[in-house]
Amino acid sequence: MGESLVGPVLILVTLGLSAGCRKTDDRAGAGAAKASVPIVMRDVGFMTPESVLHDPITDRYLVSNINGSPLESDDNGFISLVADDGKVLSLKWIDGATDSVTLNAPKGMAVIGDYLYVADLTVLRRFDRRTGAPRGEFTIPGATFLNDVAAAEDGSVYFTDSGLRGGPAGFEPSGTDAVYRLTALGKLDTLAVGESLGRPNGIALAGDSVWVVGFGSGELYRVADGARTDIVKLPAGSPDGLVIAFGDFFISSWNGETVFRGPRAGPFAEILHGLKSPADLGHDRWRNRLLIPLFYGNEIRIVPLAP
């Protein structure tokens, strides 16, 4: 499904992190040994990449491409399939331009069970994680800008609505800020709602805790009992992606053009810099890699992490 493309890959010697890469799963095999330096993927056909996800079952990276405005229902979004060495296996593995698929402005993604879930404006779409075939969708009443998605072991998926819509000057608040959960049985729960959530964007799970970064508020917080708690102000504004690994929180910031790392309560230190429009982060647990899409750069960076 979609077109196949193998593009050029630029290998960098250093990007501000340790070049070592510790193997985290025997199934990673030789791929882990190769992950000693960052990989930069540019000029391979990505179009407004918003999210990168590692699927541990297929051992492939998935890249959601908005391909235009993040606000428009233009049905031209696509999802790319990428190997662990950075080669694009299928640029438009899932393609909104085909008759069988609707995909407008795909953003956050998560895999659970047999499915890939994708946030797409007002709809949470579901695909077969192995073939990419459509497997249903869930329209979220009142939503305007569904953004990031995280999967729980019980089959539930958690996701955010950043509360944005198009206006005369571009983005403007819609007042639909929310954090949702869709259970394995298809029941929709609203965990928190309201503009006090500060344009909720990246979401990650740690045990029973639901963590979110507010793109508008510049904060990291936990969602509990319908509200924000354990609020931490971040060093730079417009945080987007959120990954929890090694007990630390990794957060991308548009204003800081950086990725921060730190414990839940801080302090947070800059570990990468010079990243323009770093969006929804992914994590390859097999190879200890941080996956970073550069929204306006049409670029993906695959960066080894040190514990």
Side-chain angles (χ1 to χ4, degrees), residues 105-285:
K107 299 180 180 68
M109 301 178 289
V111 285
I112 189 73
D114 294 329
Y115 302 119
L116 164 68
Y117 289 85
V118 182
D120 188 10
L121 295 178
T122 64
V123 178
L124 190 66
R125 304 194 189 278
R126 191 168 68 181
F127 301 90
D128 187 299
R129 73 190 293 174
R130 291 180 174 83
T131 69
R135 290 292 183 261
E137 60 185 39
F138 303 88
T139 299
I140 310 305
T144 59
F145 199 89
L146 299 185
N147 207 324
D148 198 16
V149 188
E153 292 183 358
D154 65 359
S156 299
V157 287
Y158 293 71
F159 53 103
T160 57
D161 180 349
S162 294
L164 294 169
R165 64 185 175 195
F171 291 102
E172 67 177 25
S174 65
T176 65
D177 307 44
V179 179
Y180 294 104
R181 174 178 58 212
L182 183 72
T183 71
L185 297 177
K187 180 180 180 292
L188 182 66
D189 296 325
T190 302
L191 303 184
V193 65
E195 293 188 66
S196 64
L197 297 176
R199 311 287 176 264
N201 196 327
I203 187 169
L205 308 177
D208 294 332
S209 295
V210 180
W211 292 93
V212 172
V213 290
F215 191 82
S217 66
E219 297 168 331
L220 167 71
Y221 56 84
R222 184 168 64 90
V223 174
D225 300 322
R228 304 182 305 158
T229 187
D230 299 327
I231 302 169
V232 179
K233 190 70 174 180
L234 296 169
S238 301
D240 191 321
L242 173 61
V243 158
I244 302 174
F246 317 121
D248 279 348
F249 288 65
F250 295 79
I251 301 168
S252 61
S253 165
W254 283 48
N255 284 2
E257 297 187 348
T258 187
V259 171
F260 294 111
R261 176 179 183 171
R264 176 190 64 77
F268 289 90
E270 181 182 88
I271 61 168
L272 293 167
H273 59 277
L275 304 174
K276 294 186 178 180
S277 60
D280 184 22
L281 302 175
H283 181 223
D284 179 348
R285 295 181 183 273

